């Protein structure tokens, strides 16, 4: 899909990967709806990005998601691209996963993206096409201690996305998964639970260096343009399956 003139919703646009993606899409001529809870940050970004629009939304709330999609559609008259990016980590051993926190995480990292897809799919079908990008994680390809809740939900998101891709091909709606590697954002600071706040520099020094969020944004752009089913921040990640 060409980007210029297209209408895109980017969730989690107030920080990290989502903000980098919103900027890149806007610089390529898209009209970007900026979605997250931090209204002040979104309003500042709105000043910076031509033809953008802000809708403060809590992606854990079904009614807020539905309202957000309606507002974007009423504003621009179409929705071509959805980047389901908002998300948080959760640091806890399986034995210690707090069920209340897990339910919150499910709402944010799985049910929220699903509802957002369900809201845009009929619009995209009526337009005879669209692109949905779901942001997963390299951790969904591995079994790393302490992040089972997070990585399991990203695995579920992968399955949901690739099944939706099959179901929606006849409607010319492309659904793809992007797998970031460790990326220098506020993700570590925002991790739920956890006795430790994870920082990219805490990682094993033998691992490749962390990525800036702009690398993931470029991958998102590539997948929108090509319609590839899956794309990894680095090709070697695809061999971890
Ligand atoms: N950074 C990494 O190493 C890494 C690696 C693999 C995958 N990822 C994935 O990349 C995505 C983006 O994360 P990031 O690294 O850019 O982290 P980040 O800097 O913490 O950004 C997270 C974004 O999600 C939004 N968000 C959080 N809770 C929300 C809620 N209830 N409703 C609406 N928006 C909410 C935040 O906005 P507000 O707080 O303003 O609502 C923020 O814009 C996530 O899905 C994450 O799982 C990250």
């Amino acid at each position: 899909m060409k980007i210029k003139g297209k209408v895109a919703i980017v969730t989690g646009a107030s920080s990290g990967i989502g903000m980098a993606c919103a900027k890149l899409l806007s610089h390529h001529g898209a009209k970007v709806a900026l979605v997250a809870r931090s209204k002040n940050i979104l309003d500042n970004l709105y000043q910076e990005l031509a033809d953008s629009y802000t809708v403060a939304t809590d992606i854990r709330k079904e009614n807020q998601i539905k309202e957000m999609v309606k507002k974007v559609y009423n504003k621009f008259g179409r929705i071509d691209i959805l980047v389901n990016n908002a998300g948080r980590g959760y640091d806890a051993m399986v034995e210690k996963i707090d069920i209340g926190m897990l339910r919150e995480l499910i709402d944010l990292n799985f049910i929220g993206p699903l509802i957002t897809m369900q809201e845009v799919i009929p619009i995209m079908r009526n337009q005879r096409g669209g692109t949905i990008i779901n942001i997963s994680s390299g951790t969904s390809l591995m079994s790393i201690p302490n992040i089972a809740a997070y990585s399991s939900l990203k695995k579920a998101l992968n399955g949901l996305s690739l099944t939706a891709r099959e179901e929606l091909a006849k409607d010319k709606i492309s659904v793809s998964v992007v797998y970031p590697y460790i990326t220098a954002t506020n993700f570590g600071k925002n991790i739920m639970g956890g006795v430790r706040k994870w920082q990219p520099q805490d990682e094993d020094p033998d691992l490749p260096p962390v990525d800036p969020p702009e690398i993931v944004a470029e991958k998102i752009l590539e997948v929108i343009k090509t319609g590839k089913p899956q794309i990894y921040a680095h090709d070697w990640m695809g061999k971890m399956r």
Side-chain angles (χ1 to χ4, degrees):
M1 175 186 277
K2 284 186 184 157
I3 312 284
K4 197 169 167 42
K6 297 294 191 308
V7 175
I9 294 175
V10 179
T11 72
S14 64
S15 177
I17 292 169
M19 186 184 277
C21 172
K23 287 182 180 178
L24 191 65
L25 285 173
S26 175
H27 294 158
H28 280 78
K31 300 168 186 175
V32 185
L34 309 164
V35 174
R37 293 167 303 174
S38 305
K39 191 174 178 315
N40 290 347
I41 301 178
L42 296 183
D43 286 345
N44 286 336
L45 194 55
Y46 163 78
Q47 300 292 341
E48 197 185 311
L49 305 182
D51 291 325
S52 64
Y53 181 54
T54 64
V55 194
T57 308
D58 188 334
I59 292 293
R60 294 167 301 182
K61 309 280 185 210
E62 182 172 357
N63 59 336
Q64 291 192 26
I65 296 172
K66 290 182 170 173
E67 197 55 32
M68 176 275 286
V69 173
K70 261 191 213 136
K71 280 184 177 165
V72 175
Y73 186 69
N74 288 342
K75 165 81 179 164
F76 293 115
R78 55 187 300 118
I79 297 172
D80 302 291
I81 300 165
L82 165 64
V83 183
N84 259 326
N85 164 78
R88 289 177 76 179
Y90 179 25
D91 179 350
M93 291 169 67
V94 169
E95 185 187 351
K96 301 283 184 193
I97 291 171
D98 177 272
I99 300 305
M101 278 199 185
L102 176 62
R103 290 205 164 103
E104 208 177 308
L105 197 71
I106 293 172
D107 280 336
L108 176 60
N109 287 9
F110 186 75
I111 296 179
L114 169 59
I115 295 169
T116 316
M117 288 172 72
Q118 290 176 332
E119 292 303 300
V120 303
I121 285 168
I123 295 170
M124 290 179 173
R125 182 181 287 119
N126 281 342
Q127 291 168 189
R128 301 183 191 288
T131 296
I132 297 171
I133 311 293
N134 290 336
I135 306 304
S136 181
S137 166
T139 63
S140 70
L141 310 169
M142 301 178 263
S143 301
I144 303 175
N146 287 63
I147 55 164
Y150 172 73
S151 62
S152 300
L153 291 175
K154 290 296 191 184
K155 284 182 176 101
L157 187 66
N158 301 346
L160 182 86
S161 310
L162 296 175
T163 307
R165 182 180 176 87
E166 296 300 317
E167 293 172 355
L168 295 170
K170 64 180 183 327
D171 297 308
K172 300 201 178 345
I173 299 172
S174 171
V175 184
S176 306
V177 186
V178 173
Y179 299 83
Y181 174 61
I182 306 165
T183 312
T185 66
N186 289 319
F187 182 83
K189 192 181 94 191
N190 291 331
I191 273 185
M192 293 164 61
V195 284
R196 60 200 172 96
K197 285 292 173 195
W198 175 86
Q199 293 292 332
Q201 58 270 30
D202 295 342
E203 290 299 308
D204 185 336
D206 294 336
L207 287 172
V210 302
D211 288 329
E214 289 73 20
I215 285 204
V216 187
E218 288 288 355
K219 294 291 174 184
I220 295 169
L221 196 79
E222 183 183 335
V223 101
I224 293 170
K225 285 180 176 168
T226 61
K228 282 182 190 172
Q230 305 186 81
I231 196 164
Y232 306 91
H234 303 280
D235 290 344
W236 55 262
M237 293 169 69
K239 300 187 179 89
M240 292 166 60
R241 284 194 163 280

